[in-house]
Each structure stands twice: as C-alpha cells, then as structure tokens.
Amino acid sequence: MSDRPVRVRFAPSPTGYLHIGSARSALFNWLFARRHGGQFILRIEDTDQKRLVADALDDFTAGLRWLGCQWDEGPLVGGEHGPYSQSQRLPIYRQWADWLVEQGHAYRCYCSEERLEQVRQQQTERKEQTGYDRHCRYLTPEQRASYEAAGASHVIRLAIEPLTGSTTFHDAIRGEITFEHSLLQDAVLLKSDGWPTYHLAAVVDDHLMEISHIMRSDEWLNSAPLGVLLYKAFGWEPPVWAHLPVILNPNGKGKMSKRHAVGADGKSIPVLLKEYIAGGYLPEAMSNFLANIGWSLDGSTEVFTPEQAIAAFAIADINPAPAAFPYDKLVWLNGVYIRQLEDDDLYRRLLPFVAQALGMSVESLDARPELRLAAPLIKERIKTLAEAAPMLDFFFVDGPLEIADPQTLIGEKMSAAQTVEALHESAATLAALPDFTRESVEASLRQLSDQLGLKIRQLLHTVRVAVTGAKVSPPLFETIVILGRQRTVARLAAAERAIGER
RNA sequence: GCCCCCAUCGUCUAGUGGACCAGGACACAGGCCUUUCAAGCCUGCGACAGGGGUUCGAAUCCCCUUGGGGGCACCA
C-alpha cells in the first residue's frame, strides 16, 4: 500500500476520560506501530474549548501507560513534530486554511447561525436534504468586499469539487468505499473564532506529522471522503485509511456510549478505562482482551502476550463487523491472569486494593502478615483484585467477630447441641495442639469429627462460620493457621456462647 | 428521511471455492474431584439470516430482501 515509514497516531479529544473503546483503538495503533518498527504518536485534539475536561490528558497518559501502550512522540515525551496539542498549533491551521482559500479550494462564509437555521428549516419543510446551501460560495467580489468592509465574522468552508460524480477510496479493512459528491457538505474548516474543526486540524496534523496509516473508529467513516478531498486539495500524499469496527453494548444493542453501557443481563457495566483499573483488572489481561475484539491471534489461542500479538498483527485481518463487548470473557481472562501471577506479585497488586477497602494505609497493611499469607489461598478464587477484600476482611478483625445470625453456625443435619459441642471441642483441641500447623490442625479436626460422629464437612462448616463469619471462605486449615491460635480459639468460644444464648 | 458500513453458535471469533455433516473460547447444563467456594478435568448444548444466481463444487464470489450498526454540527 504505502512504503512510507510506519507512523500512526492515537488522537483523543480531551472532552472526557479514556473510553474502553478508544483504548482499543490506541492498542491497535500501538500494535501496528510495533509490528513494523514504526512510531506511535499521541496527539491531543483539543479544538473544542467548550467541552474541555481539565484532567482528561492525565487520564489518557496514565491509561495508555497502564495498558502498556507507550507513545514515541506526544505529550510528556516530546518529539520532532510537535507541539502535540492542537490548541498550540492554531497559526498552522489558519495558514493552511488561508492557503486553501487562495487556491480556490475553500471560501469564506459570512452566513449567520440564524440564516443557517432558517435554511435548514426550509429544507426540512420541503423535505429536502438538509445542509448548507453554498450561499457564500458564489458571492460576487463586490458582495464579498462589502462583508469584509463591514468586518463581518466568517468561517472558512471547504468547496466540494466537483459537485457531481463520486469519490472512491480504499479502506484497508473494508476495501473500496464510494461516496457521491452531491451528498457531501461544504464543511466548516475554520470556525469564526479562528479555531479549526476536526476535519482541517486532523488532516493538517496527520500530514505534518507524517502519519502513514490512519486507524480510527468506524464512526469516522462517513467523514473520510472529506479527508480524502482535503488531501487532494492540498496536493498531499494521503495515508492508508482503516476504520475499526465499533464496539457495541454487551447486549448487542447500540454502541457503547460515552456514559454507560448495558450488560447482557441488563445491568450497566463500566465504559471508562479508569473504572476497570479501579475495578481490579490487570493491565495484561485488559490488553489481551482488547486485542481479541475484532482481531484474533490465530483463531484458537485466547491467552497471549503483547509480543505474540505484535508479531502477528495485520490490519487486513481485522474483522469489519461491529462487536458486542464480551464482558464475561474479560472477567474470565482476568481470572486467568491472576492465577498466573507469582504469589508475591499478586500480593503487591492486592495491597492497595485491600488497604483501601479496609480503610487501612498500605503501610500498615503491609506490616501485617495476613494478606501476604492469604494471597495464595484466594488466587484461584478471585476474578478481580477488588474481590479480595470482602473475602479476607475477617483476618483484620482483632476484637470479637460479628456473626450476624448464630443459626448459620449449625450445619446440615446437625442439632444446636451438636453444634455447641463441636465448637467447644474444636476450641479445646486447637488450644491443646503442641504445634499449630496446617497439618496438625487438619489432622486434629479430622480426628475430632470422627470422635463427634460428624462428617468432616459438618464440623468444618461450623468452625468456618465461627472463625470467618461466613459460610464460604478460603481453605479453612490454612486460614486458621494464618489467623493464629489465639484468635481462632477465641472466636470458637465466642460462637459457642452466641449459640448458647439463643 | 437520506447516505455509509456490516452479517458464522446467546457472545468473542477461526474459516479467504473443495481438507467444514463448520474449529477454538466465554457463558450455560451435566459429571468427576472436593473442608465451603473456587480452580481443574470430562461431557453436552449450540451458528454459516432468508432467497436467487455463478460454479463440477459455496460459510467463502455476485444480486435482492431482511436484520443490525454508524453518520448526517462553527463536536470530535
């Protein structure tokens, strides 16, 4: 297609935080750049000053780095094609807009918003296609002069040419795409306040930054002909175009919106990358997951590294069909990655999540032994880092443990009296153990269950509820050892009292 | 309304005219394992939207229909 050096860009608009769908676009661009040893550029399209979100840029850079998509040029890292924020490039756009006017490819339009609205209204009434009527495109030199003399404010519009016929361009994912010129608008290139619109700014920057491939969301497909025409008007070599399929809601209905998404079960799911980060998803899982939407490594390998993806990535292999966001698969994949983590690695990642959930500082949590010891126990029981805290909170209760309903201490086919006995004997047995290890605890409790005529599951149910406060917990013997003899015995005794007072 | 794009199991996908009575994964169901819950293992369920062509041969190419998505701003 193009034998230029590969240079691609991710060009978000700081009107909101990094959307999960945008993150995928960024990832695809990054993969492509790495595949070809090219550059991945981050550019900020902040030409809509009204909708600016102050900390959006920080969110983009933090999110991209978290995902592992480090950019080669752009904010924070610089580069030879800067500045990389469009708000700092205003004179460039004005200059090129003026150039287009001089060349006759664009014109000044003095129409007021009121007139535009009026035209639109009339078109609607007559059931005509709405759009600018090109009034100012055919002004006489005298009319133009009088507007200028009056100091009328103006925009600069692209003069679609020719007005008939069509433009066909090649999309690397979809093939030939044709648009009728009669349907195209003389789009605004430069606003009356002197700021450029997306169409102008993107084309000028893409050219000046020597972008070779434009890989962006499907939503831009309809404005691609404008870009193609603009490149032609400028006489610049156009890039390779590739429009990525959009990501739909998990239920398949509508694209994942900026604000919320609807899950397969009708519940809403997060749409911002930061929400997934805060939700305890691993960056390596997210990257793997995102790469698998609209693209696949080989059709059968689900779990793979960025290096594998880089080695295999090709634009032509991208599936053009829109995809429903496979949220369940993300949850599963994250679990896979968590299980692959080394114990110590998992512990370090868990630290901030558990500390926050428990209202502790990371330092004080780190100073205690429980989490480090318990991390291996929950490794295959959590799908996200955020799920750990509610599973382990009982480890961090130093006073008496609240048992909401003492009734739950009673196991299947057990009487209250048997439960009291089980509790009493368990406490006595554990208190008397010469050493307190996983093996000794298990052996003694198994022996006790025989003595009491209980199934091991019955005894352990009662002990589990007494010690952890819940019917479901990490493996009990290890849990008891981590908790320590003193707290274990105290909880067993407390449970015995609780059920006795019933 | 107009224009553009898309169409394989519920979902993410493999498949680029014969090796496909369509493969993998998630989800779901059943079973095994088992101190709970998980994890793991096994099994099952389950799709080429419909109709016309082209061809010796079509999930793969063409057309129509239907369905889905996106776009129609001095927003990106």
mmCIF file of all heavy atoms in Angstrom, chain A residues 163-206:
data_model
loop_
_atom_site.group_PDB
_atom_site.id
_atom_site.type_symbol
_atom_site.label_atom_id
_atom_site.label_comp_id
_atom_site.label_asym_id
_atom_site.label_seq_id
_atom_site.Cartn_x
_atom_site.Cartn_y
_atom_site.Cartn_z
ATOM 1 N N LEU A 163 -18.986 19.102 -7.983
ATOM 2 C CA LEU A 163 -20.234 18.951 -7.244
ATOM 3 C C LEU A 163 -20.993 17.686 -7.621
ATOM 4 O O LEU A 163 -21.943 17.302 -6.966
ATOM 5 C CB LEU A 163 -21.124 20.176 -7.456
ATOM 6 C CG LEU A 163 -20.591 21.424 -6.736
ATOM 7 C CD1 LEU A 163 -21.346 22.670 -7.186
ATOM 8 C CD2 LEU A 163 -20.670 21.268 -5.232
ATOM 9 N N THR A 164 -20.576 17.099 -8.724
ATOM 10 C CA THR A 164 -21.213 15.833 -9.115
ATOM 11 C C THR A 164 -20.142 14.747 -9.159
ATOM 12 O O THR A 164 -18.977 15.023 -8.895
ATOM 13 C CB THR A 164 -21.847 15.954 -10.512
ATOM 14 O OG1 THR A 164 -20.817 16.372 -11.427
ATOM 15 C CG2 THR A 164 -22.982 16.958 -10.510
ATOM 16 N N GLY A 165 -20.567 13.556 -9.477
ATOM 17 C CA GLY A 165 -19.600 12.473 -9.517
ATOM 18 C C GLY A 165 -19.396 11.886 -8.128
ATOM 19 O O GLY A 165 -20.202 12.120 -7.232
ATOM 20 N N SER A 166 -18.327 11.146 -7.982
ATOM 21 C CA SER A 166 -18.126 10.478 -6.697
ATOM 22 C C SER A 166 -16.647 10.332 -6.385
ATOM 23 O O SER A 166 -15.792 10.525 -7.252
ATOM 24 C CB SER A 166 -18.788 9.101 -6.726
ATOM 25 O OG SER A 166 -18.181 8.305 -7.719
ATOM 26 N N THR A 167 -16.380 10.029 -5.141
ATOM 27 C CA THR A 167 -15.011 9.762 -4.719
ATOM 28 C C THR A 167 -14.943 8.355 -4.156
ATOM 29 O O THR A 167 -15.790 7.949 -3.367
ATOM 30 C CB THR A 167 -14.569 10.769 -3.628
ATOM 31 O OG1 THR A 167 -14.294 12.022 -4.237
ATOM 32 C CG2 THR A 167 -13.309 10.273 -2.923
ATOM 33 N N THR A 168 -13.957 7.627 -4.615
ATOM 34 C CA THR A 168 -13.753 6.274 -4.102
ATOM 35 C C THR A 168 -12.392 6.232 -3.429
ATOM 36 O O THR A 168 -11.412 6.761 -3.949
ATOM 37 C CB THR A 168 -13.785 5.252 -5.247
ATOM 38 O OG1 THR A 168 -15.089 5.262 -5.832
ATOM 39 C CG2 THR A 168 -13.490 3.852 -4.723
ATOM 40 N N PHE A 169 -12.373 5.666 -2.248
ATOM 41 C CA PHE A 169 -11.073 5.491 -1.599
ATOM 42 C C PHE A 169 -10.986 4.067 -1.072
ATOM 43 O O PHE A 169 -11.989 3.350 -0.998
ATOM 44 C CB PHE A 169 -10.861 6.516 -0.487
ATOM 45 C CG PHE A 169 -11.756 6.322 0.714
ATOM 46 C CD1 PHE A 169 -11.305 5.636 1.840
ATOM 47 C CD2 PHE A 169 -13.043 6.832 0.710
ATOM 48 C CE1 PHE A 169 -12.133 5.463 2.944
ATOM 49 C CE2 PHE A 169 -13.876 6.658 1.811
ATOM 50 C CZ PHE A 169 -13.423 5.979 2.926
ATOM 51 N N HIS A 170 -9.802 3.673 -0.746
ATOM 52 C CA HIS A 170 -9.581 2.308 -0.284
ATOM 53 C C HIS A 170 -9.426 2.270 1.228
ATOM 54 O O HIS A 170 -8.620 3.006 1.785
ATOM 55 C CB HIS A 170 -8.337 1.719 -0.950
ATOM 56 C CG HIS A 170 -8.135 0.263 -0.641
ATOM 57 N ND1 HIS A 170 -7.384 -0.167 0.418
ATOM 58 C CD2 HIS A 170 -8.632 -0.854 -1.233
ATOM 59 C CE1 HIS A 170 -7.413 -1.489 0.461
ATOM 60 N NE2 HIS A 170 -8.166 -1.933 -0.528
ATOM 61 N N ASP A 171 -10.210 1.429 1.855
ATOM 62 C CA ASP A 171 -10.085 1.228 3.291
ATOM 63 C C ASP A 171 -9.414 -0.122 3.496
ATOM 64 O O ASP A 171 -9.842 -1.125 2.917
ATOM 65 C CB ASP A 171 -11.476 1.239 3.947
ATOM 66 C CG ASP A 171 -11.397 1.094 5.466
ATOM 67 O OD1 ASP A 171 -11.204 -0.045 5.948
ATOM 68 O OD2 ASP A 171 -11.521 2.112 6.163
ATOM 69 N N ALA A 172 -8.364 -0.142 4.304
ATOM 70 C CA ALA A 172 -7.566 -1.357 4.444
ATOM 71 C C ALA A 172 -8.328 -2.503 5.093
ATOM 72 O O ALA A 172 -7.912 -3.656 5.024
ATOM 73 C CB ALA A 172 -6.298 -1.062 5.241
ATOM 74 N N ILE A 173 -9.434 -2.180 5.744
ATOM 75 C CA ILE A 173 -10.242 -3.233 6.364
ATOM 76 C C ILE A 173 -11.448 -3.580 5.495
ATOM 77 O O ILE A 173 -11.847 -4.733 5.392
ATOM 78 C CB ILE A 173 -10.718 -2.799 7.768
ATOM 79 C CG1 ILE A 173 -9.521 -2.568 8.682
ATOM 80 C CG2 ILE A 173 -11.656 -3.845 8.381
ATOM 81 C CD1 ILE A 173 -9.866 -1.979 10.038
ATOM 82 N N ARG A 174 -12.019 -2.573 4.867
ATOM 83 C CA ARG A 174 -13.277 -2.775 4.139
ATOM 84 C C ARG A 174 -13.189 -2.782 2.615
ATOM 85 O O ARG A 174 -14.170 -3.080 1.935
ATOM 86 C CB ARG A 174 -14.277 -1.680 4.539
ATOM 87 C CG ARG A 174 -14.723 -1.805 5.957
ATOM 88 C CD ARG A 174 -15.165 -0.471 6.529
ATOM 89 N NE ARG A 174 -14.871 -0.451 7.943
ATOM 90 C CZ ARG A 174 -15.624 -1.058 8.861
ATOM 91 N NH1 ARG A 174 -16.716 -1.674 8.510
ATOM 92 N NH2 ARG A 174 -15.267 -1.046 10.115
ATOM 93 N N GLY A 175 -12.080 -2.381 2.080
ATOM 94 C CA GLY A 175 -11.994 -2.336 0.622
ATOM 95 C C GLY A 175 -12.453 -0.999 0.067
ATOM 96 O O GLY A 175 -12.390 0.015 0.744
ATOM 97 N N GLU A 176 -12.944 -1.023 -1.180
ATOM 98 C CA GLU A 176 -13.354 0.213 -1.840
ATOM 99 C C GLU A 176 -14.624 0.791 -1.225
ATOM 100 O O GLU A 176 -15.592 0.072 -0.999
ATOM 101 C CB GLU A 176 -13.627 -0.055 -3.325
ATOM 102 C CG GLU A 176 -12.506 -0.770 -4.053
ATOM 103 C CD GLU A 176 -11.374 0.165 -4.425
ATOM 104 O OE1 GLU A 176 -11.507 0.862 -5.445
ATOM 105 O OE2 GLU A 176 -10.359 0.200 -3.680
ATOM 106 N N ILE A 177 -14.593 2.098 -0.988
ATOM 107 C CA ILE A 177 -15.780 2.766 -0.474
ATOM 108 C C ILE A 177 -16.029 4.010 -1.316
ATOM 109 O O ILE A 177 -15.119 4.808 -1.549
ATOM 110 C CB ILE A 177 -15.590 3.153 1.007
ATOM 111 C CG1 ILE A 177 -15.501 1.875 1.856
ATOM 112 C CG2 ILE A 177 -16.759 4.015 1.490
ATOM 113 C CD1 ILE A 177 -15.133 2.097 3.278
ATOM 114 N N THR A 178 -17.257 4.119 -1.804
ATOM 115 C CA THR A 178 -17.591 5.209 -2.717
ATOM 116 C C THR A 178 -18.634 6.150 -2.130
ATOM 117 O O THR A 178 -19.611 5.694 -1.537
ATOM 118 C CB THR A 178 -18.125 4.623 -4.048
ATOM 119 O OG1 THR A 178 -17.131 3.773 -4.596
ATOM 120 C CG2 THR A 178 -18.472 5.740 -5.023
ATOM 121 N N PHE A 179 -18.397 7.439 -2.288
ATOM 122 C CA PHE A 179 -19.346 8.446 -1.835
ATOM 123 C C PHE A 179 -19.711 9.382 -2.978
ATOM 124 O O PHE A 179 -18.832 9.809 -3.722
ATOM 125 C CB PHE A 179 -18.741 9.292 -0.707
ATOM 126 C CG PHE A 179 -18.745 8.606 0.616
ATOM 127 C CD1 PHE A 179 -17.712 7.745 0.960
ATOM 128 C CD2 PHE A 179 -19.771 8.833 1.529
ATOM 129 C CE1 PHE A 179 -17.710 7.104 2.198
ATOM 130 C CE2 PHE A 179 -19.768 8.206 2.758
ATOM 131 C CZ PHE A 179 -18.741 7.340 3.100
ATOM 132 N N GLU A 180 -20.985 9.692 -3.090
ATOM 133 C CA GLU A 180 -21.436 10.645 -4.095
ATOM 134 C C GLU A 180 -21.117 12.066 -3.620
ATOM 135 O O GLU A 180 -21.423 12.428 -2.488
ATOM 136 C CB GLU A 180 -22.957 10.520 -4.282
ATOM 137 C CG GLU A 180 -23.404 9.202 -4.879
ATOM 138 C CD GLU A 180 -22.905 9.012 -6.319
ATOM 139 O OE1 GLU A 180 -22.797 10.022 -7.053
ATOM 140 O OE2 GLU A 180 -22.600 7.858 -6.682
ATOM 141 N N HIS A 181 -20.538 12.857 -4.484
ATOM 142 C CA HIS A 181 -20.219 14.236 -4.122
ATOM 143 C C HIS A 181 -21.473 15.056 -3.838
ATOM 144 O O HIS A 181 -21.445 15.986 -3.045
ATOM 145 C CB HIS A 181 -19.430 14.906 -5.252
ATOM 146 C CG HIS A 181 -17.992 14.518 -5.243
ATOM 147 N ND1 HIS A 181 -16.991 15.311 -5.737
ATOM 148 C CD2 HIS A 181 -17.371 13.398 -4.775
ATOM 149 C CE1 HIS A 181 -15.820 14.715 -5.594
ATOM 150 N NE2 HIS A 181 -16.029 13.558 -5.024
ATOM 151 N N SER A 182 -22.554 14.722 -4.512
ATOM 152 C CA SER A 182 -23.775 15.505 -4.319
ATOM 153 C C SER A 182 -24.280 15.429 -2.881
ATOM 154 O O SER A 182 -25.080 16.258 -2.452
ATOM 155 C CB SER A 182 -24.857 15.003 -5.272
ATOM 156 O OG SER A 182 -25.133 13.644 -5.013
ATOM 157 N N LEU A 183 -23.815 14.440 -2.158
ATOM 158 C CA LEU A 183 -24.255 14.282 -0.779
ATOM 159 C C LEU A 183 -23.311 14.946 0.223
ATOM 160 O O LEU A 183 -23.604 15.033 1.424
ATOM 161 C CB LEU A 183 -24.339 12.793 -0.429
ATOM 162 C CG LEU A 183 -25.640 12.029 -0.640
ATOM 163 C CD1 LEU A 183 -26.718 12.852 -1.332
ATOM 164 C CD2 LEU A 183 -25.384 10.738 -1.408
ATOM 165 N N LEU A 184 -22.166 15.384 -0.270
ATOM 166 C CA LEU A 184 -21.167 15.966 0.625
ATOM 167 C C LEU A 184 -21.460 17.432 0.951
ATOM 168 O O LEU A 184 -22.022 18.169 0.154
ATOM 169 C CB LEU A 184 -19.786 15.851 -0.028
ATOM 170 C CG LEU A 184 -18.891 14.666 0.340
ATOM 171 C CD1 LEU A 184 -19.654 13.472 0.868
ATOM 172 C CD2 LEU A 184 -18.005 14.280 -0.823
ATOM 173 N N GLN A 185 -21.050 17.835 2.124
ATOM 174 C CA GLN A 185 -21.263 19.208 2.579
ATOM 175 C C GLN A 185 -20.003 20.049 2.387
ATOM 176 O O GLN A 185 -18.899 19.537 2.465
ATOM 177 C CB GLN A 185 -21.600 19.206 4.082
ATOM 178 C CG GLN A 185 -22.863 18.469 4.441
ATOM 179 C CD GLN A 185 -24.094 19.262 4.070
ATOM 180 O OE1 GLN A 185 -24.129 20.467 4.238
ATOM 181 N NE2 GLN A 185 -25.097 18.580 3.554
ATOM 182 N N ASP A 186 -20.228 21.326 2.168
ATOM 183 C CA ASP A 186 -19.097 22.263 2.206
ATOM 184 C C ASP A 186 -18.778 22.494 3.678
ATOM 185 O O ASP A 186 -19.160 23.505 4.278
ATOM 186 C CB ASP A 186 -19.466 23.589 1.527
ATOM 187 C CG ASP A 186 -19.393 23.485 0.003
ATOM 188 O OD1 ASP A 186 -19.108 22.390 -0.506
ATOM 189 O OD2 ASP A 186 -19.624 24.509 -0.656
ATOM 190 N N ALA A 187 -18.108 21.550 4.256
ATOM 191 C CA ALA A 187 -17.903 21.546 5.707
ATOM 192 C C ALA A 187 -17.062 22.723 6.185
ATOM 193 O O ALA A 187 -16.183 23.206 5.471
ATOM 194 C CB ALA A 187 -17.239 20.243 6.117
ATOM 195 N N VAL A 188 -17.355 23.157 7.394
ATOM 196 C CA VAL A 188 -16.576 24.222 8.009
ATOM 197 C C VAL A 188 -15.189 23.685 8.359
ATOM 198 O O VAL A 188 -15.058 22.616 8.947
ATOM 199 C CB VAL A 188 -17.269 24.743 9.287
ATOM 200 C CG1 VAL A 188 -16.362 25.721 10.030
ATOM 201 C CG2 VAL A 188 -18.585 25.416 8.924
ATOM 202 N N LEU A 189 -14.172 24.429 7.948
ATOM 203 C CA LEU A 189 -12.787 24.042 8.215
ATOM 204 C C LEU A 189 -12.219 24.867 9.367
ATOM 205 O O LEU A 189 -11.502 24.371 10.228
ATOM 206 C CB LEU A 189 -11.943 24.297 6.964
ATOM 207 C CG LEU A 189 -11.625 23.150 6.000
ATOM 208 C CD1 LEU A 189 -12.606 21.994 6.077
ATOM 209 C CD2 LEU A 189 -11.492 23.681 4.591
ATOM 210 N N LEU A 190 -12.572 26.135 9.324
ATOM 211 C CA LEU A 190 -12.090 27.055 10.366
ATOM 212 C C LEU A 190 -13.308 27.776 10.929
ATOM 213 O O LEU A 190 -14.096 28.358 10.193
ATOM 214 C CB LEU A 190 -11.112 28.059 9.755
ATOM 215 C CG LEU A 190 -10.094 28.680 10.705
ATOM 216 C CD1 LEU A 190 -9.082 27.644 11.147
ATOM 217 C CD2 LEU A 190 -9.397 29.859 10.049
ATOM 218 N N LYS A 191 -13.445 27.716 12.233
ATOM 219 C CA LYS A 191 -14.606 28.336 12.875
ATOM 220 C C LYS A 191 -14.435 29.858 12.926
ATOM 221 O O LYS A 191 -13.333 30.367 12.737
ATOM 222 C CB LYS A 191 -14.779 27.794 14.297
ATOM 223 C CG LYS A 191 -14.860 26.274 14.383
ATOM 224 C CD LYS A 191 -14.982 25.826 15.838
ATOM 225 C CE LYS A 191 -14.343 24.462 16.055
ATOM 226 N NZ LYS A 191 -14.306 24.083 17.483
ATOM 227 N N SER A 192 -15.522 30.542 13.247
ATOM 228 C CA SER A 192 -15.460 32.004 13.263
ATOM 229 C C SER A 192 -14.524 32.531 14.337
ATOM 230 O O SER A 192 -14.052 33.666 14.268
ATOM 231 C CB SER A 192 -16.861 32.596 13.421
ATOM 232 O OG SER A 192 -17.492 32.051 14.561
ATOM 233 N N ASP A 193 -14.255 31.708 15.344
ATOM 234 C CA ASP A 193 -13.312 32.165 16.379
ATOM 235 C C ASP A 193 -11.865 31.871 15.999
ATOM 236 O O ASP A 193 -10.946 32.080 16.796
ATOM 237 C CB ASP A 193 -13.656 31.510 17.726
ATOM 238 C CG ASP A 193 -13.549 29.983 17.674
ATOM 239 O OD1 ASP A 193 -13.120 29.445 16.632
ATOM 240 O OD2 ASP A 193 -13.892 29.332 18.679
ATOM 241 N N GLY A 194 -11.680 31.371 14.772
ATOM 242 C CA GLY A 194 -10.319 31.138 14.313
ATOM 243 C C GLY A 194 -9.782 29.755 14.635
ATOM 244 O O GLY A 194 -8.673 29.408 14.237
ATOM 245 N N TRP A 195 -10.558 28.973 15.385
ATOM 246 C CA TRP A 195 -10.105 27.614 15.699
ATOM 247 C C TRP A 195 -10.533 26.678 14.573
ATOM 248 O O TRP A 195 -11.584 26.866 13.958
ATOM 249 C CB TRP A 195 -10.712 27.137 17.020
ATOM 250 C CG TRP A 195 -10.104 27.810 18.218
ATOM 251 C CD1 TRP A 195 -10.148 29.150 18.504
ATOM 252 C CD2 TRP A 195 -9.355 27.183 19.258
ATOM 253 N NE1 TRP A 195 -9.471 29.393 19.667
ATOM 254 C CE2 TRP A 195 -8.975 28.210 20.158
ATOM 255 C CE3 TRP A 195 -8.973 25.873 19.527
ATOM 256 C CZ2 TRP A 195 -8.225 27.958 21.305
ATOM 257 C CZ3 TRP A 195 -8.230 25.614 20.678
ATOM 258 C CH2 TRP A 195 -7.851 26.654 21.548
ATOM 259 N N PRO A 196 -9.728 25.652 14.332
ATOM 260 C CA PRO A 196 -10.066 24.710 13.262
ATOM 261 C C PRO A 196 -11.106 23.699 13.732
ATOM 262 O O PRO A 196 -11.263 23.490 14.927
ATOM 263 C CB PRO A 196 -8.745 23.998 13.006
ATOM 264 C CG PRO A 196 -8.101 23.953 14.362
ATOM 265 C CD PRO A 196 -8.486 25.263 15.026
ATOM 266 N N THR A 197 -11.801 23.098 12.779
ATOM 267 C CA THR A 197 -12.641 21.952 13.130
ATOM 268 C C THR A 197 -11.777 20.709 12.996
ATOM 269 O O THR A 197 -10.645 20.759 12.499
ATOM 270 C CB THR A 197 -13.831 21.807 12.167
ATOM 271 O OG1 THR A 197 -13.337 21.602 10.849
ATOM 272 C CG2 THR A 197 -14.727 23.040 12.211
ATOM 273 N N TYR A 198 -12.342 19.607 13.398
ATOM 274 C CA TYR A 198 -11.631 18.334 13.341
ATOM 275 C C TYR A 198 -11.082 18.055 11.947
ATOM 276 O O TYR A 198 -9.923 17.650 11.799
ATOM 277 C CB TYR A 198 -12.576 17.197 13.742
ATOM 278 C CG TYR A 198 -11.991 15.832 13.476
ATOM 279 C CD1 TYR A 198 -11.118 15.246 14.391
ATOM 280 C CD2 TYR A 198 -12.270 15.145 12.301
ATOM 281 C CE1 TYR A 198 -10.548 14.017 14.144
ATOM 282 C CE2 TYR A 198 -11.707 13.902 12.044
ATOM 283 C CZ TYR A 198 -10.847 13.347 12.968
ATOM 284 O OH TYR A 198 -10.287 12.139 12.712
ATOM 285 N N HIS A 199 -11.927 18.266 10.942
ATOM 286 C CA HIS A 199 -11.552 17.886 9.575
ATOM 287 C C HIS A 199 -10.240 18.534 9.136
ATOM 288 O O HIS A 199 -9.355 17.869 8.606
ATOM 289 C CB HIS A 199 -12.671 18.276 8.600
ATOM 290 C CG HIS A 199 -14.000 17.706 8.990
ATOM 291 N ND1 HIS A 199 -14.244 16.354 9.000
ATOM 292 C CD2 HIS A 199 -15.137 18.294 9.434
ATOM 293 C CE1 HIS A 199 -15.476 16.136 9.420
ATOM 294 N NE2 HIS A 199 -16.046 17.293 9.685
ATOM 295 N N LEU A 200 -10.148 19.824 9.363
ATOM 296 C CA LEU A 200 -8.938 20.541 8.965
ATOM 297 C C LEU A 200 -7.759 20.148 9.843
ATOM 298 O O LEU A 200 -6.687 19.790 9.346
ATOM 299 C CB LEU A 200 -9.181 22.047 9.114
ATOM 300 C CG LEU A 200 -8.439 23.083 8.269
ATOM 301 C CD1 LEU A 200 -7.929 24.224 9.115
ATOM 302 C CD2 LEU A 200 -7.350 22.524 7.372
ATOM 303 N N ALA A 201 -7.964 20.250 11.137
ATOM 304 C CA ALA A 201 -6.858 20.021 12.064
ATOM 305 C C ALA A 201 -6.266 18.625 11.903
ATOM 306 O O ALA A 201 -5.043 18.452 11.883
ATOM 307 C CB ALA A 201 -7.346 20.224 13.501
ATOM 308 N N ALA A 202 -7.137 17.635 11.771
ATOM 309 C CA ALA A 202 -6.644 16.260 11.670
ATOM 310 C C ALA A 202 -5.824 16.052 10.400
ATOM 311 O O ALA A 202 -4.744 15.459 10.442
ATOM 312 C CB ALA A 202 -7.817 15.290 11.699
ATOM 313 N N VAL A 203 -6.320 16.578 9.282
ATOM 314 C CA VAL A 203 -5.606 16.385 8.021
ATOM 315 C C VAL A 203 -4.264 17.125 8.026
ATOM 316 O O VAL A 203 -3.232 16.567 7.651
ATOM 317 C CB VAL A 203 -6.473 16.837 6.823
ATOM 318 C CG1 VAL A 203 -5.642 16.928 5.553
ATOM 319 C CG2 VAL A 203 -7.630 15.857 6.620
ATOM 320 N N VAL A 204 -4.295 18.361 8.482
ATOM 321 C CA VAL A 204 -3.056 19.132 8.519
ATOM 322 C C VAL A 204 -2.029 18.451 9.424
ATOM 323 O O VAL A 204 -0.865 18.261 9.057
ATOM 324 C CB VAL A 204 -3.333 20.576 9.008
ATOM 325 C CG1 VAL A 204 -2.026 21.297 9.331
ATOM 326 C CG2 VAL A 204 -4.113 21.345 7.941
ATOM 327 N N ASP A 205 -2.478 18.051 10.597
ATOM 328 C CA ASP A 205 -1.549 17.409 11.535
ATOM 329 C C ASP A 205 -1.068 16.053 11.031
ATOM 330 O O ASP A 205 0.118 15.724 11.148
ATOM 331 C CB ASP A 205 -2.217 17.235 12.901
ATOM 332 C CG ASP A 205 -2.313 18.562 13.640
ATOM 333 O OD1 ASP A 205 -1.675 19.534 13.195
ATOM 334 O OD2 ASP A 205 -3.024 18.618 14.659
ATOM 335 N N ASP A 206 -1.989 15.283 10.499
ATOM 336 C CA ASP A 206 -1.585 13.965 10.008
ATOM 337 C C ASP A 206 -0.521 14.109 8.926
ATOM 338 O O ASP A 206 0.431 13.341 8.873
ATOM 339 C CB ASP A 206 -2.801 13.193 9.468
ATOM 340 C CG ASP A 206 -3.686 12.680 10.596
ATOM 341 O OD1 ASP A 206 -3.178 12.522 11.731
ATOM 342 O OD2 ASP A 206 -4.883 12.442 10.367
#
